[in-house]
Amino acid sequence: MLKDVAGLVPGAYQGRGRGNKFLDDLTDADVLIHVVDASGTADAEGNSVGEDGGIHPLEDLAWVRNELIEWLCFNLASKWDSIKKRGRNKLVGMFSGYKQNEAFVWNVLTCVEKHMEEHCSDDRWCDHNALNHLDEWDGGDLRRLVSAFLGARFPMALALNKSDLPTATQYVKDIHQALPIHGAHVGVPLSARDEMNFVR
């Protein structure tokens, strides 16, 4: 099934625009295709502002990814006391609510735990199992877990729209050089003009 979920604006996780309704619509997806204005002629809310007023497409990718992270973090943080008391099984159950089976969630959690132990910058995770000590987690630990889950649960492809405009040339290069970034692994340049030429 292909589903068009339009209308994400900065602050959606706080209720702006369609808010959590937009974000909840994503839970049906297996893959996200993020349509990016590769010409840099739109602002963060998709309004056309011309060549001088738009945002760099990489900034667009960053705030969209941040909205997804904040959405999940907000949902988990609101139940964190219960998660800490009930432990890793409760945490798995919370992530399973995003239409993913427990085996998948366990795999992501195990990978994050291993990363935390291998790259520990303090003594919290070097000598013991991070998932057994959720009461010691901070916001950064939770965001790391959420980011890993999002990357695995919602792989993303970029549709680099308006790539035929002169301003897009450098932006498309910038994006391709930055990949993988913000959960995206591939970017495909496209434009309405190219589509019409193809149809003809």
Side-chain angles (χ1 to χ4, degrees), residues 130-144:
L131 291 174
N132 286 335
H133 299 276
L134 296 175
D135 57 322
E136 298 178 32
W137 282 39
D138 61 24
D141 298 323
L142 183 58
R143 278 179 173 66
R144 187 177 299 111

Side-chain angles (χ1 to χ4, degrees), residues 3 6 11 29 40 68 83 86 102 126 128 147:
K3 184 177 186 180
L68 296 173
I83 292 169
R86 296 180 58 198
E102 287 191 10
C126 295
H128 58 274
S147 183

Side-chain angles (χ1 to χ4, degrees), residues 120-135:
C120 61
S121 58
D122 56 41
D123 293 333
R124 292 182 304 154
W125 314 131
C126 295
D127 298 327
H128 58 274
N129 187 328
L131 291 174
N132 286 335
H133 299 276
L134 296 175
D135 57 322

Side-chain angles (χ1 to χ4, degrees), residues 62-174:
W63 78 255
V64 168
R65 177 67 170 193
N66 186 62
E67 285 295 322
L68 296 173
I69 289 172
E70 292 301 327
W71 166 57
L72 275 178
C73 281
F74 180 80
N75 289 344
L76 291 171
S78 67
K79 297 169 180 74
W80 194 248
D81 286 340
S82 173
I83 292 169
K84 285 191 302 187
K85 287 177 191 169
R86 296 180 58 198
R88 55 196 298 159
N89 289 333
K90 175 68 173 172
L91 186 60
V92 169
M94 293 297 299
F95 279 105
S96 297
Y98 296 97
K99 299 194 177 164
Q100 203 48 256
N101 64 52
E102 287 191 10
F104 177 92
V105 177
W106 274 115
N107 187 44
V108 172
L109 293 178
T110 302
C111 288
V112 170
E113 181 178 64
K114 183 177 179 185
H115 174 83
M116 290 168 80
E117 291 169 357
E118 290 175 356
H119 298 91
C120 61
S121 58
D122 56 41
D123 293 333
R124 292 182 304 154
W125 314 131
C126 295
D127 298 327
H128 58 274
N129 187 328
L131 291 174
N132 286 335
H133 299 276
L134 296 175
D135 57 322
E136 298 178 32
W137 282 39
D138 61 24
D141 298 323
L142 183 58
R143 278 179 173 66
R144 187 177 299 111
L145 175 61
V146 165
S147 183
F149 176 78
L150 284 170
R153 171 63 183 88
F154 298 110
M156 186 182 303
L158 304 176
L160 305 176
N161 196 25
K162 302 180 187 176
S163 62
D164 58 328
L165 297 181
T167 55
T169 304
Q170 185 60 49
Y171 291 142
V172 170
K173 280 184 194 174
D174 292 347

